[in-house]
Amino acid sequence: MQLRLKIFLLSIVPMSIALGSVIVTVHTQTVKLAKQERDLVESTYLASREAELRAHVKLAQSSIAPLVKDASNPLRQAEAMAILGRLEYGKDGYFFVYDMKGNNLVHPRQPDLVGKNLWDMKDPFGDSPIQKLLEATRNGGGIVRYYWEKPSSQQVSFKLGYVEPVQAWGWMLGTGLYLDDIEQALQKIDARAQGNIRETEIRMYTIAIVSIILMGMAGLALNISDNKESGAKLRHLAQRVVNSQEEERLRVARELHDGIVQVLVSSKFFLETAQLQLENRLTAASQATEDTQAAPPGTAAKAASTDLQIIAPLKRGLERLSVALFEVRRISHGLRPALLDDFGLGPAIEVLTSEVQEQCSINIRFSTHGRPCAIPVNQSTSLFRISQEALTNAKLHSGAANVRVKLVYHRHQISLSIKDDGKGFDLRQIQTDHSNGIGLRNMRERMEGLGGTLKIYADDDGTEVQAWLDTANAD
């Protein structure tokens, strides 16, 4: 990892951690504060409602107090129940009366319950509200929370009730307030709190993201010029390496052609001269033997046999020398084809395809399109090397039956395409495996050094190598 990248990460990561910690802390404290506010509002609201219920029950008690004093008169109970049945406040505010056995005596909003024993009645959650109310009454009265049907909506709602005993008649007198309005108020408070929390988080996330982006842009702005310069230097260095390799190839090719080939050719010439002289000598000796009989018997035959023994290995040596000359010329041509310098890129690739086709059974089709133009030596050399590598891979590894090589001259660009119908290969594996794919990496480095583009496609239908070079601004 580069030092600049390490410094960048060391500045971004602590800042991100700090901002994240601040966001988490603010979120936690905001949620805690919202909960405390909700609990405070709920407790205050319930306390005010409890005081209100006590006041209502006290008022009801005072309204029937004169009748309770005359409790011995049986008519007073009916008068008291009539008074309590008429007392109401608000849409769902009323008073109810039960005896201590659970019989309903007064219920102005649900008259169908009057006269029924509701001791065993259950709410939707399995509780017995009447039993809870009567238990509080036996203990002297108090606040009871339970579920009951709300008259205005016909829905079971949570209710806050207050009951007191009427000792003279053995009654339970009470009233209650439905708390769904409290729940609505608390829901509004929760919604506002959640909205404030979300707004705060959005602002903090925005600040954090903007800060990180600004820091990243600042680091990028500081390094972009250096990266461009470094990239240009690397490309220039890679091109120099490639040029040095080509220069070395050219030097070795010239040494082979001008040095070793000349020595081998001259050696072959001398050996061929010696062979010709021996053959002439053998012919002259044979004719002399036929014309004269002066030589002792067998002398001419022995001389001819000796000459024949010399000529046979000489011929084999000349054959081997011819093979050596062919191999040296082939290597020299591979290092630096003379056609590339003498006739240009197209003819050199065409000769290359012909040579590869002669060496194997692959059908290779070569075509050129566009008007040929002069291109820099480094570009033509790179495209020729790419052709060499791609055709070698097709010959050795693909198992292809057909290969198409297409060279296209554009107005300001030249492109090369080599496509075969072989078995292809796993391109990702080759790219990650540093022990294989050296030729593919060399092709890519050549193109990058010249500012060109190289694309390789490989699947079950074959492999295609595409190369583009810009000839307008070539060095």
Side-chain angles (χ1 to χ4, degrees), residues 176-250:
L177 295 172
Y178 294 94
L179 300 181
D180 50 352
D181 55 344
I182 298 180
E183 291 296 327
Q184 293 176 358
L186 293 177
Q187 289 176 0
K188 290 181 180 179
I189 293 174
D190 292 340
R192 285 199 303 269
Q194 292 297 326
N196 293 333
I197 291 173
R198 284 195 298 271
E199 184 178 357
T200 303
E201 288 181 347
I202 290 173
R203 289 184 180 181
M204 296 196 68
Y205 284 131
T206 302
I207 294 173
I209 293 172
V210 170
S211 300
I212 293 174
I213 291 175
L214 289 177
M215 181 174 291
M217 292 178 64
L220 185 63
L222 290 174
N223 293 329
I224 189 168
S225 60
D226 292 340
N227 289 335
K228 286 184 177 180
E229 184 178 354
S230 300
K233 288 181 178 179
L234 287 175
R235 287 193 297 270
H236 180 66
L237 180 59
Q239 187 59 37
R240 285 186 61 185
V241 171
V242 173
N243 292 337
S244 299
Q245 291 177 346
E246 292 300 329
E247 290 174 0
E248 185 63 18
R249 285 172 176 263
L250 179 59

Side-chain angles (χ1 to χ4, degrees), residues 235 239 242 378-384 386 414 416 440-455 465-470:
R235 287 193 297 270
Q239 187 59 37
V242 173
N378 55 356
Q379 291 190 352
S380 62
T381 302
S382 296
L383 292 176
F384 180 80
I386 290 174
I414 185 170
L416 175 67
L440 299 180
R441 285 193 291 273
N442 288 339
M443 287 193 289
R444 194 175 301 278
E445 289 173 0
R446 284 180 179 274
M447 286 295 100
E448 290 177 354
L450 294 173
T453 303
L454 181 75
K455 291 186 178 180
V465 177
Q466 296 179 355
W468 292 271
L469 280 174
D470 188 1

Side-chain angles (χ1 to χ4, degrees), residues 23-322:
I23 292 173
V24 171
T25 302
V26 171
H27 175 79
T28 303
Q29 295 299 321
T30 305
V31 171
K32 184 178 179 180
L33 181 62
K35 186 177 183 302
Q36 291 176 350
E37 180 183 2
R38 185 184 191 280
D39 294 341
L40 179 62
V41 171
E42 183 178 11
S43 61
T44 303
Y45 197 81
L46 289 176
S48 65
R49 286 303 179 92
E50 290 175 2
E52 181 180 354
L53 290 175
R54 289 189 180 93
H56 288 325
V57 172
K58 295 297 183 185
L59 180 63
Q61 289 273 31
S62 63
S63 65
I64 63 172
L67 300 176
V68 173
K69 291 180 180 179
D70 191 15
S72 59
N73 187 348
L75 297 177
R76 300 297 184 227
Q77 291 189 23
E79 293 178 6
M81 286 188 288
I83 293 172
L84 293 174
R86 291 193 298 270
L87 291 177
E88 61 180 23
Y89 53 94
K91 184 169 58 174
D92 294 310
Y94 59 90
F95 293 91
F96 53 82
V97 178
Y98 289 82
D99 62 20
M100 300 309 292
K101 294 181 180 180
N103 294 306
N104 184 271
L105 302 177
V106 176
H107 204 300
R109 292 291 191 273
Q110 293 175 296
D112 55 315
L113 298 179
V114 176
K116 293 182 178 180
N117 187 287
L118 303 180
W119 177 267
D120 296 325
M121 188 183 73
K122 303 288 185 181
D123 63 19
F125 301 97
D127 292 333
S128 300
I130 302 303
Q131 295 180 19
K132 293 171 66 175
L133 292 169
L134 290 174
E135 182 179 358
T137 303
R138 292 189 188 97
N139 295 328
I143 295 294
V144 180
R145 290 178 174 84
Y146 60 98
Y147 286 92
W148 196 265
E149 182 180 307
K150 188 175 183 180
S152 60
S153 65
Q154 304 296 317
Q155 300 292 329
V156 176
S157 303
F158 192 60
K159 189 174 184 180
L160 181 68
Y162 181 77
V163 293
E164 286 187 358
V166 180
Q167 301 289 352
W169 292 324
W171 286 357
M172 174 184 69
L173 172 62
T175 187
L177 295 172
Y178 294 94
L179 300 181
D180 50 352
D181 55 344
I182 298 180
E183 291 296 327
Q184 293 176 358
L186 293 177
Q187 289 176 0
K188 290 181 180 179
I189 293 174
D190 292 340
R192 285 199 303 269
Q194 292 297 326
N196 293 333
I197 291 173
R198 284 195 298 271
E199 184 178 357
T200 303
E201 288 181 347
I202 290 173
R203 289 184 180 181
M204 296 196 68
Y205 284 131
T206 302
I207 294 173
I209 293 172
V210 170
S211 300
I212 293 174
I213 291 175
L214 289 177
M215 181 174 291
M217 292 178 64
L220 185 63
L222 290 174
N223 293 329
I224 189 168
S225 60
D226 292 340
N227 289 335
K228 286 184 177 180
E229 184 178 354
S230 300
K233 288 181 178 179
L234 287 175
R235 287 193 297 270
H236 180 66
L237 180 59
Q239 187 59 37
R240 285 186 61 185
V241 171
V242 173
N243 292 337
S244 299
Q245 291 177 346
E246 292 300 329
E247 290 174 0
E248 185 63 18
R249 285 172 176 263
L250 179 59
R251 186 188 68 79
V252 174
R254 285 175 178 173
E255 289 292 336
L256 289 174
H257 183 270
D258 298 337
I260 297 177
V261 170
Q262 298 302 324
V263 172
L264 292 176
V265 169
S266 63
S267 300
K268 184 181 179 184
F269 174 75
F270 286 125
L271 290 175
E272 288 176 345
T273 302
Q275 181 186 17
L276 183 60
Q277 290 177 354
L278 284 174
E279 290 176 351
N280 291 336
R281 176 182 171 186
L282 181 59
T283 303
S286 298
Q287 291 178 355
T289 302
E290 294 176 358
D291 294 339
T292 64
Q293 302 296 330
T299 303
K302 290 180 181 180
S305 176
T306 303
D307 291 340
L308 287 174
Q309 292 176 358
I310 296 174
I311 290 175
L314 191 59
K315 285 183 177 180
R316 289 196 296 270
L318 285 171
E319 291 174 357
R320 296 294 181 88
L321 187 58
S322 297

